[in-house]
């Protein structure tokens, strides 16, 4: 926000209060040193200089508050306007760098999962965040294929749900899974959905049982997916809209155009 605040202050300062008595070649005012302001050299102008400094300080605070509020509003506005770009840019990522996620990024991801809508607001899901490298390695063997990249992810979020809490637990857990992926993309991170339900490990053990044994998951919870997340290890082009299958859209009735 420094550039925005500095620019805002400079414009107002130049238009409203630019007393020549405060401009000096050797700045000695700590607060406004970067604005090249200084206290008056003459003792007769000392009180006037202090008063002007106070006015400048108050103005600077107002500019900072304005810049912070404006930036926050603009950020929310841009996020809403760019949702179409977000879903085009979200592509499955199976290659990650070694960079770890920040605590703020992890918290943001988990917030997205917890805000996922559920039937009758049952909130029957449970999420297990895994960043331990040894555990990630074990989880990478949860399927016979297409799960090895979990070992290289910075974070894996295991999505589970209680069938007794909701008869549509699969749908609820699926919504939470895609919410995690969209939030990851919004943070500039890559992600990939690893399907667990109705899948099997190389040993023939159901993937659900395998993940449950690794993470000590209670029997009443069913494991739907593992969302692998990390910093993107490669670039993927956004979804090409020319590949949209419009023939699968029907108007008013099946086959209607």
């Amino acid at each position: 926000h420094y550039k925005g605040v500095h620019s805002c202050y400079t414009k107002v300062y130049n238009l409203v209060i630019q007393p020549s008595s405060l401009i000096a070649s050797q700045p000695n005012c700590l607060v406004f040193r970067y604005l090249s302001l200084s206290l008056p050299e003459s003792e007769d102008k000392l009180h006037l200089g202090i008063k002007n400094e106070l006015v400048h300080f108050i103005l600077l605070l107002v500019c900072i508050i304005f810049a912070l509020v404006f930036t926050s509003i603009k950020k929310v506005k841009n996020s809403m306007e760019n949702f179409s770009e977000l879903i085009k840019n979200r592509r499955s990522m199976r290659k990650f760098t070694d960079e770890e996620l920040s605590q703020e990024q992890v918290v943001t991801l988990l917030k997205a999962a917890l805000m996922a809508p559920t039937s009758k607001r049952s909130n029957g899901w449970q999420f297990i965040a895994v960043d331990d490298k040894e555990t990630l390695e074990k989880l990478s063997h949860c399927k016979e294929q297409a799960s090895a990249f979990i070992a290289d992810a910075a974070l894996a979020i295991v999505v589970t749900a209680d069938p007794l809490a909701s008869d549509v637990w699969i749908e609820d857990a699926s919504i939470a899974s895609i919410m995690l992926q969209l939030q990851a993309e919004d943070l500039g991170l890559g992600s990939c959905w690893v399907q667990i339900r109705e899948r099997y490990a190389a040993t023939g053990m159901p993937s659900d049982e395998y993940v449950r044994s690794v993470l000590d998951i209670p029997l009443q919870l069913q494991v739907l997916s593992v969302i692998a997340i990390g910093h993107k290890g490669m670039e993927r082009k956004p979804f090409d809209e020319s590949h949209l299958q419009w023939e699968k859209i029907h108007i008013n009735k099946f086959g209607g155009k």
Side-chain angles (χ1 to χ4, degrees):
H1 303 297
Y2 170 79
K3 291 183 179 179
V5 173
H6 185 279
S7 176
C8 180
Y9 182 91
T10 302
K11 289 179 181 178
V12 176
Y13 174 80
N14 290 335
L15 290 173
V16 183
I17 48 174
Q18 189 180 16
S20 58
S21 61
L22 293 182
I23 307 300
S25 59
Q26 299 295 327
N28 56 19
C29 174
L30 180 61
V31 176
F32 297 100
R33 182 174 297 170
Y34 73 95
L35 292 175
S36 299
L37 300 181
S38 65
L39 290 171
E41 296 179 357
S42 172
E43 291 184 1
D44 294 337
K45 299 179 180 180
L46 178 60
H47 294 295
L48 175 62
I50 294 176
K51 183 177 181 180
N52 284 334
E53 290 287 349
L54 180 59
V55 173
H56 295 161
F57 181 72
I58 294 174
L59 175 61
L60 181 60
L61 288 179
V62 172
C63 290
I64 291 175
I65 294 173
F66 174 80
L68 291 174
V69 172
F70 177 77
T71 302
S72 299
I73 295 175
K74 185 176 180 181
K75 182 177 180 181
V76 173
K77 183 179 179 181
N78 287 341
S79 296
M80 294 299 293
E81 290 179 345
N82 292 332
F83 183 73
S84 294
E85 295 299 317
L86 179 69
I87 58 178
K88 283 197 296 185
N89 291 331
R90 191 223 61 80
R91 309 299 302 276
S92 293
M93 181 61 57
R94 298 177 176 84
K95 185 176 182 180
F96 305 102
T97 68
D98 295 331
E99 185 178 355
E100 296 182 356
L101 303 186
S102 67
Q103 182 178 5
E104 182 180 1
Q105 288 174 322
V106 175
V107 170
T108 300
L109 288 163
L110 295 176
K111 282 182 178 180
L114 292 172
M115 285 190 283
T118 59
S119 175
K120 301 177 182 178
R121 205 53 190 162
S122 56
N123 296 353
W125 23 239
Q126 300 275 350
F127 306 98
I128 305 172
V130 180
D131 62 0
D132 177 71
K133 291 301 182 182
E134 183 178 343
T135 306
L136 289 171
E137 170 63 28
K138 292 179 180 178
L139 288 177
S140 69
H141 300 288
C142 64
K143 293 174 61 178
E144 186 174 4
Q145 56 183 1
S147 62
F149 56 85
I150 295 177
D152 299 322
L155 177 71
I157 299 181
V158 181
V159 182
T160 74
D162 185 356
L164 297 179
S166 174
D167 60 337
V168 290
W169 69 271
I170 296 175
E171 290 83 350
D172 290 345
S174 296
I175 294 172
S177 296
I178 195 61
M179 291 278 280
L180 282 167
Q181 290 197 278
L182 291 174
Q183 182 62 78
E185 180 61 40
D186 189 53
L187 292 172
L189 303 172
S191 69
C192 190
W193 178 319
V194 180
Q195 178 66 20
I196 298 300
R197 178 178 170 273
E198 300 295 336
R199 296 295 184 266
Y200 297 87
T203 60
M205 175 187 292
S207 297
D208 177 274
E209 292 183 15
Y210 179 86
V211 174
R212 180 179 286 106
S213 65
V214 172
L215 302 178
D216 297 327
I217 299 174
L219 288 176
Q220 72 269 23
L221 295 179
Q222 297 295 311
V223 183
L224 176 85
S225 66
V226 175
I227 307 300
I229 303 171
H231 290 274
K232 299 177 181 179
M234 60 178 291
E235 291 296 326
R236 293 199 62 186
K237 295 181 180 180
F239 186 88
D240 187 349
E241 291 191 36
S242 65
H243 295 159
L244 291 173
Q245 298 175 300
W246 287 105
E247 68 276 10
K248 295 187 176 182
I249 301 296
H250 310 274
I251 307 300
N252 292 324
K253 66 176 182 177
F254 191 86
K257 297 182 180 179

